Amino acid sequence: MTKIKGKYLQQFVDGKPQALATSCSLNATMLFDDARTKDDPEGPAPEPDYIDWSVSCENILGYNEDVTAEMLYDELMEIFTTKKKVEIYIEQVINPSAAVPNAGWKPETGTTKAFAPYGGYAYVESVTLNAPADGKATVSVNYKGYGALMKKSDAAQSSNTEQ
């Protein structure tokens, strides 16, 4: 069995990887509607309502020399302050053990990959800049999902209806 290391996965925002990420995560929670009636037996009768989802990323503040295809702090703040809806996925990248390519990380597109990217459209919910006296400055970004959480292959079919 092949185990996927965290460095093999990157968060992509509008097709660009988040610069200098130290971690990223996707959190999905099923929300339920209580559909219990007087005719139901004692106890709850939950019915699935919708999936609430979010994505977060921790990053070292900075940029990679000669790499122009990464999402940087200034771009994140622009997305945040203009309330722009973005497309966001956590995806497996090509050759993660090598140095960052000049064109930035690219998502793995092979048909035999063991990891299916999920995501969709989201808004930046919060940005936290942390500049300690010792250590590296960091940026934490949280995205709030808008609409359905989708597998990336399914998203292409519905992209015209979401925008």
Side-chain angles (χ1 to χ4, degrees):
M1 170 181 255
T2 301
K3 297 176 181 125
I4 299 175
K5 293 184 177 183
K7 69 180 182 178
Y8 291 20
L9 304 178
Q10 282 277 359
Q11 175 177 301
F12 286 81
V13 179
D14 283 344
K16 294 171 73 172
Q18 195 85 43
L20 302 174
T22 58
S23 69
C24 59
S25 63
L26 181 140
N27 182 34
T29 304
M30 178 68 70
L31 296 176
F32 293 90
D33 185 22
D34 185 5
R36 186 170 181 269
T37 69
K38 292 184 272 183
D39 299 326
D40 288 327
E42 188 174 323
E47 289 183 355
D49 192 8
Y50 65 93
I51 296 172
D52 186 39
W53 63 277
S54 62
V55 174
S56 63
C57 193
E58 300 288 328
N59 313 278
I60 295 173
L61 181 63
Y63 60 94
N64 289 314
E65 292 292 335
D66 301 321
V67 179
T68 59
E70 289 185 309
M71 183 66 62
L72 300 172
Y73 174 71
D74 185 52
E75 292 172 277
L76 291 170
M77 290 304 292
E78 183 70 20
I79 290 167
F80 180 61
T81 58
T82 61
K83 303 175 186 169
K84 180 184 175 196
K85 185 169 44 172
V86 294
E87 189 175 31
I88 186 165
Y89 287 92
I90 294 179
E91 301 191 53
Q92 189 169 344
V93 295
I94 297 170
N95 197 15
S97 59
V100 180
N102 287 348
W105 294 114
K106 298 292 182 206
E108 176 65 54
T109 57
T111 57
T112 61
K113 63 183 175 180
F115 179 80
Y118 278 82
Y121 293 97
Y123 290 100
V124 176
E125 183 175 32
S126 66
V127 178
T128 303
L129 176 63
N130 185 23
D134 293 323
K136 304 280 187 209
T138 61
V139 178
S140 302
V141 185
N142 295 308
Y143 297 86
K144 180 71 173 167
Y146 176 86
L149 175 65
M150 300 178 283
K151 185 186 260 187
K152 189 165 186 186
S153 60
D154 299 337
Q157 298 168 357
S158 64
S159 65
N160 290 338
T161 61
E162 289 292 325
Q163 294 185 23

